[in-house]
Amino acid sequence: MKKITFAFFLLAFVPHVWGQSANKRVLLYSRAARYYHESIPDGVKAIQKLGSENHIDVDSITDSLYFTDANLKKYAAIIFLNTSGNPLNAEHKRAVERFIRAGGGFVGIHCAAATFNRLPSGTEPAWPWYFQLLGAAFTNHPAPQPAVFEVTDRNDPSTRHLPARWNRTEELYNFKDIQPDIHVVLKVDESTYKGGENGVSHPMAWYHEFDGGRSFYTALGHFPEAYADTEFMKHLLGGIQYAMGKNVVLKYKK
């Protein structure tokens, strides 16, 4: 009887421990080396709350020193929240590349598409590999204004909760070097605002696999109010979950 009781104790206790230790972990990076978005603090708090509600541990940083192989292998995905300028040095960039090649995930939010966009000379991208990972590069944007977004994938977790035509005010990015393999889940109707430069298929959120890993990007998230918007946060959660995939702790190839 004692042996049976002890066995039931183990069965009750061990899954609880495993459930806690199996939480996926993401690294949230929000260093602004150039333009600072006032929405960054709201975004950090909202993503941390999103994590706590969905069994995701969120480590928020602004220091690039955390971008090492030893540290990154603990994470299922990296999130760039309105990063700007060139916030990683060459060594840290290589660590990110190895992380993705080991099967890691990446999420870019809004200004992440402008990060590493130009060298100080303004002549060429500071990190071409990054824009292939991201899926496109920012060129410019008109003044923030209302527009209508169109869901292009009704089955994707990041958009299936949204109306087919979604009205919202945003800073609407134009893009170049749009990668042909990206799967667009949300686009913007250029006929509903002024300043669009990508035509009838103007992407605003997408995902793809790249160089061994997975990448999700959304151009939304300029304003602080976005991070109090349930629909936007569900959109972001779907993207984060895609990027994380089945990762818990990465295993690097030797």
Side-chain angles (χ1 to χ4, degrees):
M1 181 62 73
K2 289 182 179 180
K3 290 182 178 180
I4 295 174
T5 302
F6 181 67
F8 274 112
F9 171 78
L10 283 178
L11 288 172
F13 177 74
V14 172
H16 176 67
V17 174
W18 284 354
Q20 287 186 332
S21 63
N23 273 9
K24 294 183 179 181
R25 184 177 294 273
V26 298
L27 185 65
L28 177 60
Y29 189 48
S30 57
R31 182 182 174 192
R34 193 172 298 165
Y35 180 81
Y36 180 80
H37 276 76
E38 297 296 333
S39 63
I40 287 176
D42 297 85
V44 170
K45 291 178 183 177
I47 293 170
Q48 288 175 329
K49 181 175 183 290
L50 198 68
S52 67
E53 294 170 346
N54 293 276
H55 308 290
I56 304 168
D57 295 327
V58 180
D59 292 340
S60 175
I61 63 166
T62 57
D63 192 332
S64 63
L65 293 177
Y66 288 89
F67 285 86
T68 66
D69 291 349
N71 190 55
L72 292 183
K73 68 181 181 181
K74 300 182 296 186
Y75 297 99
I78 299 168
I79 303 172
F80 277 20
L81 170 64
N82 278 324
T83 47
S84 66
N86 193 11
L88 296 178
N89 66 23
E91 179 184 350
H92 301 145
K93 290 174 184 176
R94 300 294 86 79
V96 172
E97 291 179 8
R98 289 190 292 270
F99 171 80
I100 294 298
R101 288 168 185 150
F106 175 83
V107 175
I109 302 172
H110 192 58
C111 198
T115 304
F116 310 109
N117 206 18
R118 288 288 180 266
L119 290 169
S121 64
T123 56
E124 60 182 284
W127 191 11
W129 179 91
Y130 174 78
F131 292 103
Q132 295 177 57
L133 168 70
L134 192 74
F138 164 85
T139 56
N140 58 60
H141 64 77
Q145 57 193 291
V148 176
F149 292 78
E150 297 179 337
V151 174
T152 56
D153 187 340
R154 300 299 308 168
N155 296 314
D156 189 77
S158 71
T159 51
R160 63 189 176 198
H161 64 286
L162 296 174
R165 290 176 64 81
W166 189 27
N167 298 282
R168 61 186 295 110
T169 298
E170 259 294 352
E171 185 177 70
L172 301 154
Y173 279 8
N174 293 312
F175 298 100
K176 68 174 185 177
D177 300 331
I178 299 171
Q179 301 297 301
D181 68 320
I182 62 171
H183 181 79
V184 178
V185 296
L186 191 66
K187 67 179 183 177
V188 65
D189 182 348
E190 289 192 356
S191 70
T192 64
Y193 74 101
K194 295 181 180 179
E197 297 179 358
N198 288 120
V200 295
S201 298
H202 187 149
M204 278 285 139
W206 60 79
Y207 66 84
H208 71 150
E209 294 184 1
F210 174 74
D211 209 7
R214 294 161 311 284
S215 172
F216 174 87
Y217 173 77
T218 180
L220 284 66
H222 174 74
F223 292 109
E225 308 90 82
Y227 301 95
D229 182 335
T230 301
E231 290 183 328
F232 173 68
M233 293 309 297
K234 285 183 179 179
H235 168 63
L236 196 52
L237 176 62
I240 293 171
Q241 290 174 328
Y242 165 76
M244 291 190 304
K246 296 180 179 180
N247 296 337
V248 177
V249 176
L250 294 188
K251 295 182 179 179
Y252 281 62
K253 295 180 181 178
K254 295 182 179 180

